Amino acid sequence: MTDWSEADAVDLSDAETFETLLDRARTREKGHYFDFFDPGDELTHDPGLVLSQSGSEDWMGQTLNHDPAYWRPDRARNQGFETVPVHPDYVLACVMGVTVEDLSEKGGYFLGRDDVTIHRTPTPGTELAVTSTVVETTASSSRPAYGIVTWETVGRDRETGDRLVSYERTNMIPRREPTATDGGGAVADSADGEDTDGTDASDRDAGDDPNGPTVPETLVAPEGDYFEDFRAALDRAEADGAAVAYAHERGRTMDEALVSGLPLSTLNTARQHHNRDVMADSPSGDIVAYGDVTRSIALAHARSDEATYREWRYDEERFHDFVTLGDTIYGFTRVLDCDAEVGPERAGAVTFEHVAYNQHRTPVYSGRRTALVQRHDP
Ligand SMILES: C/C(=C\C(=O)SCCNC(=O)CCNC(=O)[C@H](O)C(C)(C)COP(=O)(O)OP(=O)(O)OC[C@H]1O[C@@H](n2cnc3c(N)ncnc32)[C@H](O)[C@@H]1OP(=O)(O)O)C(=O)O
């Protein structure tokens, strides 16, 4: 009888032999199907990840988050940090990155995130301890091949146990037994970047169309980057029946470093970001950007037009469409509220709605953000 453990018993370099072997082999799968998750289940995410200055700097450089408080000791101290901290977008992306293997590596898409709180801004060298609890599992009525799962995730400092960030996140997760009626066609339609009605958004003037969307006639932009500038703009807009909303000039085209490099640096193992072979056959037709990268770029565009003091809270974050290699991400901001009573003397809270949109003017992300913004004269 052949001893198959003998090194020479099979020629693995012969293509035909190898293909036959592959056909017979069981694939040891990664990740979990929808059916695995039950409300109340708790999961501890084992990959330890140590937040690093180089990781944070790479994230900030690539996403255009160039706030000097996260690069320079003098500017960090000036903003109330003891030493240069790691950037909150990097922390959030790392906390979520290490959950992917347990929660969403099987596939499906990151749909949204709510109730995101930045509890502390850690320093380089902080080791993460991340846990998740299944909050809700629901069937998808439009996509029988998928279910929708919401988890609550908390990222802590492993040494002190202090909470760093917490949030609720929702993904579409494939079922073990997919049906033939997966609505992939609808996705393919939107993935090509065309509007579904076949028109270019720039051709439409909502104000002239009685059936068009309701939008304010006038949009006001703040005159400067400080808390008082945002408050003055809101006052001006209220007096004129206008809204405070503006676009940011910068754009960032999605390259390999952003689409595959940054998620992998957070230990995010979602195939969507790095396996072009599998993704060629998926609704998006190619690898897609990590939602946290897309979002961070849009927020960076907004922060470049704002004297940010601290990141604080985010809510109603939604990912509306795929972002693939070569897409360019721009940012648009609406100012919702200014609260002078919150925060330290030198800053006030401003609540924004930010949109990331692509070169076809299609929104790919939207979310609310409350940040502390510096005052002119504390
Ligand atoms: C991390 C990570 C992965 C990633 O980062 S992937 C990159 C970021 N995400 C994306 O690129 C997805 C972008 N979104 C889309 O392309 C479309 O939304 C999508 C996924 C194709 C779905 O399109 P639909 O038009 O079918 O979308 P619907 O709005 O109808 O949603 C489908 C069902 O989901 C429910 N739903 C949507 N958002 C939420 C939410 N926040 N909370 C709860 N449920 C939500 C929606 O109600 C629909 O339900 P039905 O019962 O009607 O099916 C990683 O791997 O973790």
Side-chain angles (χ1 to χ4, degrees):
M1 199 156 54
T2 309
D3 179 355
W4 295 111
S5 63
E6 279 290 322
D8 296 338
V10 193
D11 180 3
L12 293 181
S13 66
D14 176 70
E16 197 184 336
T17 307
F18 186 66
E19 200 180 339
T20 308
L21 276 179
L22 262 189
D23 283 345
R24 290 181 188 174
R26 176 170 73 90
T27 299
R28 300 186 63 183
E29 293 187 29
K30 293 286 181 209
H32 300 296
Y33 289 101
F34 171 72
D35 322 67
F36 172 83
F37 299 103
D38 280 313
D41 288 353
E42 291 182 12
L43 297 101
T44 299
H45 308 294
D46 207 28
L49 190 149
V50 178
L51 300 170
S52 69
Q53 186 159 355
S54 60
S56 177
E57 287 181 355
D58 192 32
W59 184 281
M60 291 188 293
Q62 292 287 357
T63 56
L64 288 114
N65 276 288
H66 297 173
D67 182 342
Y70 297 92
W71 301 87
R72 283 170 40 191
D74 61 321
R75 294 295 293 267
R77 278 193 297 275
N78 184 258
Q79 255 170 251
F81 296 116
E82 281 177 20
T83 56
V84 175
V86 289
H87 196 277
D89 288 5
Y90 167 68
V91 179
L92 189 54
C94 287
V95 166
M96 195 152 121
V98 302
T99 69
V100 167
E101 182 172 355
D102 297 322
L103 305 186
S104 53
E105 184 168 343
K106 191 55 81 191
Y109 292 96
F110 176 24
L111 294 171
R113 202 165 39 194
D114 292 277
D115 205 11
V116 186
T117 305
I118 307 292
H119 300 278
R120 275 169 188 264
T121 312
T123 50
T126 302
E127 189 181 341
L128 291 179
V130 182
T131 52
S132 297
T133 307
V134 181
V135 176
E136 197 178 4
T137 61
T138 47
S140 164
S141 51
S142 61
R143 295 165 179 275
Y146 292 91
I148 297 159
V149 186
T150 300
W151 305 272
E152 183 193 11
T153 295
V154 181
R156 291 187 165 80
D157 178 330
R158 188 177 288 276
E159 195 180 316
T160 63
D162 290 340
R163 281 177 167 231
L164 303 174
V165 300
S166 57
Y167 58 81
E168 280 198 7
R169 147 195 179 204
T170 300
N171 274 53
M172 258 171 39
I173 300 291
R175 291 171 174 277
R176 183 171 283 283
E177 299 296 339
T179 67
T181 49
D182 173 25
V187 180
D189 289 347
S190 63
D192 65 8
E194 291 287 326
D195 286 358
T196 46
D197 64 0
T199 63
D200 183 328
S202 60
D203 295 339
R204 294 191 298 258
D205 185 343
D208 297 342
D209 178 1
N211 299 318
T214 310
V215 290
E217 208 50 54
T218 311
L219 299 182
V220 168
E223 297 293 334
D225 299 348
Y226 289 85
F227 177 76
E228 293 86 343
D229 299 312
F230 290 102
R231 196 167 50 185
L234 276 181
D235 289 345
R236 210 159 19 110
E238 195 182 6
D240 297 348
V244 182
Y246 45 99
H248 307 280
E249 184 171 6
R250 288 179 181 161
R252 173 73 165 101
T253 301
M254 292 298 197
D255 55 23
E256 293 269 1
L258 287 170
V259 175
S260 299
L262 286 187
L264 286 170
S265 74
T266 69
L267 310 187
N268 174 342
T269 52
R271 67 190 69 175
Q272 288 106 310
H273 314 311
H274 61 258
N275 188 335
R276 295 191 84 171
D277 179 38
V278 166
M279 293 305 289
D281 226 8
S282 77
S284 56
D286 200 351
I287 50 175
V288 300
Y290 180 13
D292 265 327
V293 171
T294 304
R295 152 203 197 269
S296 187
I297 291 169
L299 299 192
H301 296 333
R303 291 169 184 140
S304 75
D305 291 323
E306 159 200 323
T308 321
Y309 180 70
R310 283 283 187 289
E311 293 298 313
W312 186 15
R313 283 187 54 77
Y314 313 89
D315 218 347
E316 296 181 36
E317 296 200 298
R318 299 290 178 266
F319 295 91
H320 305 288
D321 214 336
F322 301 125
V323 175
T324 55
L325 284 168
D327 283 347
T328 301
I329 297 302
Y330 296 95
F332 181 91
T333 293
R334 185 159 70 107
V335 180
L336 303 178
D337 187 44
C338 284
D339 188 345
E341 304 303 315
V342 178
E345 225 172 84
R346 58 182 297 182
V350 183
T351 299
F352 303 96
E353 183 178 21
H354 299 296
V355 176
Y357 65 97
N358 66 19
Q359 66 280 13
H360 305 292
R361 299 176 152 221
T362 303
V364 292
Y365 159 87
S366 62
R368 290 195 180 183
R369 162 172 168 263
T370 303
L372 299 180
V373 176
Q374 297 177 50
R375 295 171 189 270
H376 273 301
D377 303 307

